[in-house]
Amino acid sequence: MSRRPTLKDIARETGVHVSTVSRALDPQKRSSLTEEIVVKIRQAADRLGYRPNRIAFSLRKQKSMTVGVMIPDITNMIFPPIVRGIESVMEPLGYASIIVNTDGDSDRERRLTETLQERGVDGIIHTAVLRSDPNIVEAARQGLPVVTLNRKVEEAEIPYVINDEEAGIRMIFDHLHDHGHRRIAHLAGPRDLSTGLLRREAFCSVARDYGLSADALVIEEACRFEEEEGRRCAKEILSRSPETTAILCANDRLALGAMDYCARNGHPCPDKISITGFNDMPFLDLIPPGLTTVRIEQFDAGATAARLLVQMIDGCDGKVPRETVLPVSLKCRNSVLRIETDH
Amino acid sequence: MSRRPTLKDIARETGVHVSTVSRALDPQKRSSLTEEIVVKIRQAADRLGYRPNRIAFSLRKQKSMTVGVMIPDITNMIFPPIVRGIESVMEPLGYASIIVNTDGDSDRERRLTETLQERGVDGIIHTAVLRSDPNIVEAARQGLPVVTLNRKVEEAEIPYVINDEEAGIRMIFDHLHDHGHRRIAHLAGPRDLSTGLLRREAFCSVARDYGLSADALVIEEACRFEEEEGRRCAKEILSRSPETTAILCANDRLALGAMDYCARNGHPCPDKISITGFNDMPFLDLIPPGLTTVRIEQFDAGATAARLLVQMIDGCDGKVPRETVLPVSLKCRNSVLRIETDH
DNA sequence: TTGAAAGCGCTAACAT
DNA sequence: ATGTTAGCGCTTTCAA
């Protein structure tokens, strides 16, 4: 249990200076040394079981090879794939990720941002729910590389990666319309979350394109992206507008809640009402009747954000696109019924 | 975008020595300074927006205030709650966690263990699937604090936190037996995963207690904890032993797969066959008919492991129990039918 | 009560 | 091609 060997130990062992050892162990500068001494040093390093001390490295180079990943809550199933996407590009480059859960709490978020900065992270990937967040913007303004995921950033020159929410809503609206649905209600997400707002706006926009007037639209807004809110809003929609044939939900959990409510109250999906989701979370295949939804490539989103961040860290800020929009796709299961058009 | 202020900057600003600044900012040693100068220093620190450099701190104190968390795969839904449990005790103490995914790959695991050590983690929480893992054991032997989750460790003096698998299997077996089931098959997990083996052994042990001879037991072993394997093994069980009235599965995903197979092949659960799971993963409520399973408190498991690790880091090794067994509970839904006993 | 100086392990500019 | 030296930002003896 003796302490880890350092360059100094290897230097003593091989009778050279520590800087020589440092050079011998650095693939970049190895070339400027005698083959013979390099071999000797590497052997000694192996023999002693030398492992570089990244902390000392970080202090010296002012580079921690660490990035911060801020997410609302890792237990929300959409985030693990994002995290793995980030890891898939960061880890091979030698970066470690410190993942923090903000719980959407802005106070907590501020503290965590500070913590990450104290730890000298080289950059931050900020997977946002809240549409505005001063702390991270401030950090970015101070020169810390930041990339935002899932949120358009107006405040600063922060590059962001988003999914094509608008296209997704359009796809699924088209899909419903193609199946004869004309009375399509929207079970919207919270307006203060970016996805909630974006999808709602997209819904209105698409509906307008189909010639529906804005005030004729049935929209019910959930307070949170949770099943319980899905149930509540489904009830509201059904009572306010009984002729509704389809509910286009802002995400899968709301849709699942809506389905559950409808099933328990004489409107089984899809026979009596069609319901759609957004996200395509895992295990949807196992939940009857099978939710038709919009698939988002979470892993890719994470990987893309990571690649952008690395570019920024490497100082290629100029080449980093301000906006990256990732394609989404329609995932058809069995929650949409083809119905007769009225006329 | 000027660089972050350091102790030296505050020293210059206030006209004192950096060591004085260091003391003034350390709650522990503040007492040995003049009230007046402490105030002056703290004000200057605030004004400059001073944030301590944890990397320099780490190098000096040989303590990174960072722990490594090794898990197989964060996208496996049982792990996020564990991670949050760990975070819930670590973060308030000032520790950050570096989470790494091993994918059950022993080579990857070796590399990641080294990476964590290079980064000077103060300890590691190792959430294992594989029953044996030389790398982490070696690290522990070298004096690195290590706590293992979900796995009994024979190899070394590593403290471990496990769930009471045996009690869980017994509960659910009792439950099935109480409901009249006598022909209970076991859909076992992979034998090389700790939970797979433990639950299988528990099943055999309980069956023996009920007077069933070992060679009469119907056991089918899955190669992986996945739905597809659940389907395959369910088919196998049904064809080998058509009189089976209940399948006790080693985890929820296997149970879900088994349910799916049975439903599609004329044995709907629970009417024709009763099926049980293990873990109580999220969303089980939404999947009909509702899987009866054993609930594991993943969050608590993570928190418990974290508390043990902190104790070890603090040098209280003596007081750390070698074994911690967490209670589990029965979660009844609707996948078990009461049937008539034969006699 | 405060200052001076050393050093954690490493890299890099400069010197030889 | 290798050695010398300084220093990243901090804590901590030892002196005063």
Side-chain angles (χ1 to χ4, degrees):
Chain A
M1 139 128 210
S2 58
R3 90 197 182 330
R4 274 165 53 192
T6 69
L7 289 188
K8 208 194 279 183
D9 297 318
I10 302 179
R12 190 178 331 101
E13 192 84 357
T14 52
V16 299
H17 195 266
V18 307
S19 60
T20 309
V21 179
S22 173
R23 284 189 273 254
L25 264 25
D26 180 347
Q28 303 283 324
K29 331 201 148 159
R30 195 163 24 240
S31 50
S32 71
L33 294 188
T34 319
E35 178 65 18
E36 178 199 10
I37 200 153
V38 170
V39 170
K40 192 166 68 174
I41 289 173
R42 299 188 64 182
Q43 284 176 347
D46 284 352
R47 182 153 31 82
L48 297 180
Y50 173 78
R51 302 271 86 212
N53 182 326
R54 299 267 172 235
I55 293 175
F57 172 93
S58 297
L59 181 59
R60 178 65 233 239
K61 293 283 278 298
Q62 300 291 43
K63 187 148 196 293
S64 63
M65 295 304 284
T66 304
V67 298
V69 176
M70 305 184 74
I71 55 176
D73 179 11
I74 191 72
T75 63
N76 182 332
M77 293 198 305
I78 71 166
F79 294 113
I82 292 179
V83 167
R84 295 233 45 180
I86 294 172
E87 183 196 51
S88 76
V89 351
M90 284 308 189
E91 202 223 285
L93 294 173
Y95 286 91
S97 310
I98 295 181
I99 298 159
V100 296
N101 298 279
T102 64
D103 287 324
D105 175 340
S106 132
D107 214 54
R108 198 169 143 70
E109 190 155 334
R110 185 182 47 68
R111 285 206 323 277
L112 290 171
T113 309
E114 278 187 356
T115 306
L116 290 177
Q117 288 184 277
E118 289 182 5
R119 285 175 176 277
V121 293
D122 298 328
I124 290 179
I125 293 177
H126 188 256
T127 301
V129 271
L130 295 170
R131 286 189 296 119
S132 112
D133 167 12
N135 312 294
I136 198 75
V137 173
E138 175 55 21
R141 222 187 297 273
Q142 286 171 16
L144 185 69
V146 172
V147 172
T148 298
L149 210 54
N150 280 359
R151 186 185 116 222
K152 225 169 209 157
V153 193
E154 293 93 8
E155 303 95 319
E157 295 291 295
I158 301 178
Y160 54 86
V161 176
I162 52 174
N163 298 293
D164 200 342
E165 315 274 351
E166 156 112 28
I169 294 292
R170 189 171 297 272
M171 279 175 192
I172 211 144
F173 196 109
D174 287 348
H175 180 73
L176 287 168
H177 197 270
D178 289 351
H179 282 66
H181 293 275
R182 295 296 177 270
R183 301 290 194 162
I184 304 175
H186 181 41
L187 204 169
R191 202 189 298 255
D192 56 340
L193 302 193
S194 54
T195 47
L197 184 68
L198 255 40
R199 290 169 194 174
R200 182 204 197 98
E201 288 175 347
F203 177 84
C204 294
S205 157
V206 175
R208 191 172 51 245
D209 292 350
Y210 274 103
L212 283 68
S213 76
D215 44 313
L217 296 181
V218 179
I219 300 182
E220 191 62 35
E221 180 173 325
C223 303
R224 293 173 304 281
F225 275 123
E226 288 169 10
E227 284 78 13
E228 193 46 46
E229 281 292 292
R231 291 192 189 90
R232 181 183 67 74
C233 295
K235 178 179 184 181
E236 200 61 36
I237 288 171
L238 256 32
S239 71
R240 260 176 58 198
S241 174
E243 68 279 18
T244 299
T245 65
I247 305 178
L248 188 160
C249 303
N251 90 346
D252 293 337
R253 296 189 63 181
L254 292 175
L256 256 17
M259 262 182 171
D260 185 54
Y261 174 82
C262 292
R264 294 177 196 274
N265 292 275
H267 299 270
C269 168
D271 302 311
K272 293 289 184 183
I273 194 157
S274 293
I275 294 177
T276 64
F278 209 110
N279 277 3
D280 194 28
M281 60 184 216
F283 296 96
L284 242 32
D285 282 320
L286 297 168
I287 305 174
L291 186 65
T292 290
T293 190
V294 174
R295 174 153 187 73
I296 289 181
E297 304 299 336
Q298 309 286 20
F299 185 95
D300 288 347
T304 303
R307 275 188 290 266
L308 293 177
L309 187 65
V310 170
Q311 280 189 32
M312 294 177 73
I313 292 174
D314 289 347
C316 312
D317 293 53
K319 303 192 313 194
V320 177
R322 176 82 195 289
E323 172 179 274
T324 306
V325 181
L326 265 22
V328 300
S329 56
L330 192 63
K331 175 78 187 181
C332 292
R333 293 195 181 85
N334 304 306
S335 66
V336 174
L337 189 73
R338 180 174 300 282
I339 63 174
E340 298 300 315
T341 27
D342 302 353
H343 55 89
Chain B
M1 139 126 211
S2 57
R3 90 199 184 325
R4 274 165 52 194
T6 69
L7 289 188
K8 207 194 280 184
D9 296 319
I10 301 180
R12 191 179 327 104
E13 192 84 356
T14 53
V16 299
H17 195 264
V18 310
S19 59
T20 309
V21 180
S22 172
R23 285 189 271 254
L25 266 23
D26 180 347
Q28 303 284 324
K29 333 203 144 155
R30 194 163 27 239
S31 51
S32 69
L33 295 189
T34 319
E35 179 65 16
E36 177 198 11
I37 200 156
V38 170
V39 170
K40 192 166 68 174
I41 289 173
R42 299 188 65 183
Q43 285 176 346
D46 284 352
R47 183 156 28 82
L48 297 180
Y50 172 77
R51 301 270 85 212
N53 182 327
R54 299 265 173 238
I55 294 176
F57 171 93
S58 298
L59 182 58
R60 178 64 232 240
K61 295 282 281 297
Q62 300 289 43
K63 186 150 196 296
S64 63
M65 295 304 283
T66 304
V67 297
V69 176
M70 306 183 75
I71 56 176
D73 180 10
I74 192 72
T75 64
N76 183 331
M77 293 197 305
I78 71 167
F79 294 113
I82 293 178
V83 167
R84 296 234 42 180
I86 294 172
E87 183 196 51
S88 76
V89 352
M90 285 308 190
E91 202 222 287
L93 295 172
Y95 287 91
S97 310
I98 296 181
I99 298 159
V100 295
N101 299 278
T102 64
D103 288 325
D105 176 340
S106 132
D107 214 54
R108 200 170 141 70
E109 190 155 331
R110 185 181 48 67
R111 284 206 325 276
L112 291 170
T113 309
E114 280 187 355
T115 306
L116 290 176
Q117 288 184 278
E118 289 182 5
R119 286 175 175 277
V121 293
D122 298 329
I124 291 180
I125 292 178
H126 188 255
T127 301
V129 272
L130 296 171
R131 288 189 296 121
S132 113
D133 166 12
N135 313 293
I136 198 74
V137 173
E138 175 55 22
R141 221 187 297 274
Q142 286 172 18
L144 185 69
V146 172
V147 172
T148 299
L149 209 55
N150 279 359
R151 187 185 114 222
K152 225 168 209 157
V153 194
E154 293 93 8
E155 304 94 320
E157 296 291 293
I158 302 177
Y160 55 85
V161 177
I162 51 174
N163 297 292
D164 201 342
E165 315 274 352
E166 157 113 28
I169 294 291
R170 189 171 297 273
M171 279 175 193
I172 212 145
F173 197 109
D174 286 349
H175 181 73
L176 287 168
H177 197 270
D178 289 350
H179 281 67
H181 292 274
R182 296 296 177 268
R183 301 290 192 162
I184 304 174
H186 181 40
L187 204 168
R191 200 190 297 256
D192 55 342
L193 303 193
S194 56
T195 47
L197 183 68
L198 254 40
R199 291 170 194 173
R200 182 206 197 98
E201 288 174 348
F203 177 83
C204 293
S205 157
V206 176
R208 192 170 50 243
D209 292 350
Y210 274 104
L212 283 70
S213 75
D215 43 313
L217 296 181
V218 178
I219 300 181
E220 191 64 36
E221 180 173 326
C223 304
R224 295 173 304 281
F225 275 124
E226 289 170 10
E227 285 79 14
E228 192 47 45
E229 281 291 292
R231 292 192 189 90
R232 181 182 67 74
C233 294
K235 177 178 182 182
E236 200 60 36
I237 288 171
L238 255 32
S239 70
R240 259 177 56 198
S241 172
E243 68 278 19
T244 299
T245 65
I247 304 179
L248 189 160
C249 303
N251 91 344
D252 293 335
R253 295 189 64 181
L254 292 175
L256 256 17
M259 262 181 170
D260 186 54
Y261 174 82
C262 292
R264 293 177 196 273
N265 292 275
H267 300 269
C269 169
D271 303 310
K272 293 290 184 183
I273 194 156
S274 293
I275 295 178
T276 64
F278 209 110
N279 277 2
D280 195 28
M281 59 183 218
F283 296 95
L284 242 31
D285 282 320
L286 298 168
I287 305 174
L291 185 65
T292 290
T293 189
V294 174
R295 174 152 186 76
I296 289 181
E297 302 299 337
Q298 309 285 18
F299 185 95
D300 289 346
T304 302
R307 275 189 289 267
L308 292 177
L309 187 65
V310 170
Q311 281 191 32
M312 294 177 72
I313 292 174
D314 290 347
C316 312
D317 293 52
K319 302 192 314 194
V320 176
R322 175 83 196 290
E323 172 178 274
T324 306
V325 180
L326 266 21
V328 301
S329 56
L330 192 63
K331 175 77 187 182
C332 291
R333 293 196 180 84
N334 306 305
S335 65
V336 173
L337 189 73
R338 181 174 300 282
I339 61 174
E340 297 300 316
T341 26
D342 301 353
H343 55 92

